[in-house]
Amino acid sequence: MSVSRDQLVGLDSSEFLDNFRRNIEEFDSARLPQEPLSKESLQKLVDLGLYLPAIPRSYGGRESHREMCEIIEIMSERNLPMGMYTMIVTVLFLRNVASSGDDVLKKEVFDDFLHNPVIGGLAFTEPSSGSNLARMQTTYHDDGDTYRITGTKHWQAFSEQADWWIVCAKHPERKEFAYFAHKRSDGGFVTTEVYDSLGLKNLGYGLNTLDLRVPRHYRLTKTRESLGDAAEILCGSRFSKAAMGSGFLRRLSTEALRHVTTRAIGDGTLHDIDYVRYKVDRIKQNYVVCNALYRQLMLAEDYYTDLENSMFASLATKVLASELMLESAIDYQQLCGGEGYRKDAPDNIAAYALLDARVYTVFDGTNDLLCQHLANLFLRQFRQSGLRSPLEYVGRFGYLEDAFFHITDINLSHIIDAPSQDKTVILGRILSRIYGIGMLEKASRSAAPNTRLAVDEADFPKAIAVLKNEIISLVNEYELAGKLAGAPCTQAADARAGAVADAKAGVRQ
């Protein structure tokens, strides 16, 4: 049944989301061509209200953080690239127009997105700067009634397809960065090369040259020094990996179980093999972790607010969710055997699932880089706290405190000293797992937001055990990094016992 836009705006949340979910079968990854979406297909999604949660009510939208999360999660279960597609347009483009755009710009943009099959993208990265945005060469100049922006950008999703952009450029003389909306039809944004990416082929990446003249009211109101606003913008994208991971891994868990219980082996099925059941259960527990990360995003964070103070959580979410997605995609492909390596296989999506999941540990900053940032955030605040034990600080740190009593038997005392860069990366990975345990503990104490997100209570301790085992392995890797670098091992049993005792006593005071 067709529902008009006005009717969609008036539906309650469950009716709106149910209507959306029922009508996206044609976008399933097993059916949708691996190519950029046609305008006709995008119009169907627009008519279903794809963008409405990201558009303020005062401009005709539904203005709902939770619905933004749910649409991304629903799309990711159906088709992971389409989950990324939805996130880029809503969380990266529309969210920032809503928060920082001039009133005239807002009206123009939201009117367009309410009615037309248009796409908004983000143009930050450049060939010469990689993850170091401070080295970007794209510059802006005052030019009378406009700003002139010149430079080169690449790895922009929708390079050839986007109708609108948010472009980051720097002042040629001052260490000052600014953010501008640009309408492609105004000219100057030219795609000179289309990249043949391994995955996410629905998004269309490429190389673009810019020579833009942008009206002054298209400049977004961003006032942080240096690249602080870029970091806040990317918090939203990194948080969204929880929604994508939850939807994607729910599907992989369901399909992996279906495959092994129907694949005949001798007189039984694959499911009769102990190690197969173990791998299927690991995929399931990875889903339970992402489910808990997603609940935190949906219930405790808010896309409609400034996310700067949630930097730690967004980094931990991105690192953990993306690594669990990739691990599960590999396991799913292995369970599918030879058919898992076949594109367009009739009974599984394993080949595309792995290709699509692989990039998540690289985009939005590589996980190795983000782990270093995550560790430095923790270490800086720990040292400022005046506490002696990092484990004690975990018990007092808001995003980690729920994990404390699950990790008291793991020795973290040796991270007090300033670690080398390689150890800092490993420490960030450890912290992401501690964060995951905290979110699992928190989720276990409350009801699921809806029946679709409910998990068996018995799975929470299993998922915690999985992450705790990973932490132990990463602690061993942390020590191995020191040995490979020639540093002596300084741990002792009494140090472990003392650290745990001090931490327990400190938290209970």
Side-chain angles (χ1 to χ4, degrees), residues 458-478:
D459 282 321
F460 286 115
K462 293 178 183 178
I464 289 172
V466 168
L467 292 187
K468 185 173 178 178
N469 184 68
E470 291 192 6
I471 292 171
I472 293 170
S473 296
L474 287 164
V475 168
N476 291 333
E477 185 178 352
Y478 188 99

Side-chain angles (χ1 to χ4, degrees), residues 146-281:
T146 64
Y147 292 100
R148 186 178 182 189
I149 303 168
T150 56
T152 304
K153 300 286 186 180
H154 80 154
W155 281 115
Q156 280 70 60
F158 322 124
S159 283
E160 283 194 305
Q161 292 79 36
D163 306 275
W164 287 88
W165 293 98
I166 290 176
V167 179
C168 181
K170 70 178 182 181
H171 194 279
E173 299 170 357
R174 303 187 298 271
K175 192 176 181 180
E176 176 182 293
F177 296 83
Y179 307 82
F180 305 87
H182 173 66
K183 193 172 185 178
R184 193 184 195 111
S185 60
D186 290 340
F189 197 104
V190 180
T191 302
T192 57
E193 182 181 355
V194 176
Y195 293 163
D196 187 11
S197 59
L198 283 175
L200 300 183
K201 288 184 176 293
N202 300 100
L203 275 67
Y205 294 95
L207 175 69
N208 308 288
T209 60
L210 282 62
D211 189 353
L212 317 177
R213 294 190 182 275
V214 176
R216 297 189 73 82
H217 68 276
Y218 275 27
R219 180 171 178 172
L220 302 185
T221 306
K222 302 285 189 183
T223 58
R224 289 183 177 88
E225 294 183 357
S226 188
L227 284 161
D229 287 304
E232 193 279 335
I233 288 171
L234 292 173
C235 278
S237 175
R238 290 163 182 164
F239 263 135
S240 73
K241 303 308 181 290
M244 292 185 225
S246 177
F248 178 64
L249 293 186
R250 185 191 301 109
R251 177 167 187 168
L252 260 57
S253 178
T254 300
E255 294 201 359
L257 180 60
R258 174 188 56 78
H259 176 76
V260 301
T261 53
T262 57
R263 180 75 165 93
I265 299 291
D267 294 330
T269 67
L270 271 177
H271 195 256
D272 296 324
I273 301 172
D274 291 343
Y275 192 71
V276 167
R277 290 198 301 274
Y278 165 71
K279 282 296 186 180
V280 170
D281 202 43

Side-chain angles (χ1 to χ4, degrees), residues 86-370:
T86 305
M87 183 282 294
I88 292 169
V89 181
T90 58
V91 176
L92 290 181
F93 183 80
L94 292 174
R95 169 184 180 259
N96 284 287
V97 172
S99 67
S100 307
D102 175 272
D103 288 342
V104 175
L105 172 64
K106 289 180 184 178
K107 186 177 188 314
E108 184 178 356
V109 168
F110 295 141
D111 281 351
D112 204 5
F113 279 78
L114 281 171
H115 300 99
N116 301 312
V118 291
I119 303 171
L122 191 74
F124 276 20
T125 58
E126 300 183 4
S128 61
S129 60
S131 296
N132 187 357
L133 295 181
R135 295 178 56 197
M136 72 171 61
Q137 300 300 307
T138 299
T139 57
Y140 71 93
H141 305 260
D142 287 314
D143 192 12
D145 293 334
T146 64
Y147 292 100
R148 186 178 182 189
I149 303 168
T150 56
T152 304
K153 300 286 186 180
H154 80 154
W155 281 115
Q156 280 70 60
F158 322 124
S159 283
E160 283 194 305
Q161 292 79 36
D163 306 275
W164 287 88
W165 293 98
I166 290 176
V167 179
C168 181
K170 70 178 182 181
H171 194 279
E173 299 170 357
R174 303 187 298 271
K175 192 176 181 180
E176 176 182 293
F177 296 83
Y179 307 82
F180 305 87
H182 173 66
K183 193 172 185 178
R184 193 184 195 111
S185 60
D186 290 340
F189 197 104
V190 180
T191 302
T192 57
E193 182 181 355
V194 176
Y195 293 163
D196 187 11
S197 59
L198 283 175
L200 300 183
K201 288 184 176 293
N202 300 100
L203 275 67
Y205 294 95
L207 175 69
N208 308 288
T209 60
L210 282 62
D211 189 353
L212 317 177
R213 294 190 182 275
V214 176
R216 297 189 73 82
H217 68 276
Y218 275 27
R219 180 171 178 172
L220 302 185
T221 306
K222 302 285 189 183
T223 58
R224 289 183 177 88
E225 294 183 357
S226 188
L227 284 161
D229 287 304
E232 193 279 335
I233 288 171
L234 292 173
C235 278
S237 175
R238 290 163 182 164
F239 263 135
S240 73
K241 303 308 181 290
M244 292 185 225
S246 177
F248 178 64
L249 293 186
R250 185 191 301 109
R251 177 167 187 168
L252 260 57
S253 178
T254 300
E255 294 201 359
L257 180 60
R258 174 188 56 78
H259 176 76
V260 301
T261 53
T262 57
R263 180 75 165 93
I265 299 291
D267 294 330
T269 67
L270 271 177
H271 195 256
D272 296 324
I273 301 172
D274 291 343
Y275 192 71
V276 167
R277 290 198 301 274
Y278 165 71
K279 282 296 186 180
V280 170
D281 202 43
R282 280 297 301 266
I283 295 173
K284 180 181 181 182
Q285 301 316 319
N286 287 350
Y287 162 65
V288 174
V289 175
C290 282
N291 174 285
L293 299 179
Y294 176 48
R295 291 195 201 185
Q296 173 71 13
L297 168 63
M298 184 191 297
L299 302 177
E301 306 293 345
D302 190 347
Y303 285 137
Y304 275 91
T305 64
D306 192 290
L307 295 173
E308 181 181 31
N309 292 332
S310 297
M311 181 73 67
F312 182 93
S314 72
L315 291 169
T317 296
K318 193 270 185 181
V319 169
L320 182 54
S322 62
E323 291 181 358
L324 296 182
M325 290 166 68
L326 179 56
E327 174 189 296
S328 298
I330 293 171
D331 285 343
Y332 174 53
Q333 187 178 65
Q334 192 75 12
L335 290 168
C336 290
E339 286 294 292
Y341 293 83
R342 176 182 169 190
K343 291 183 178 180
D344 302 315
D347 62 350
N348 71 80
I349 60 165
Y352 288 123
L354 180 55
L355 290 174
D356 292 334
R358 179 65 187 91
V359 76
Y360 279 72
T361 63
V362 178
F363 280 8
D364 282 345
T366 68
N367 279 12
D368 290 346
L369 180 66
L370 299 188

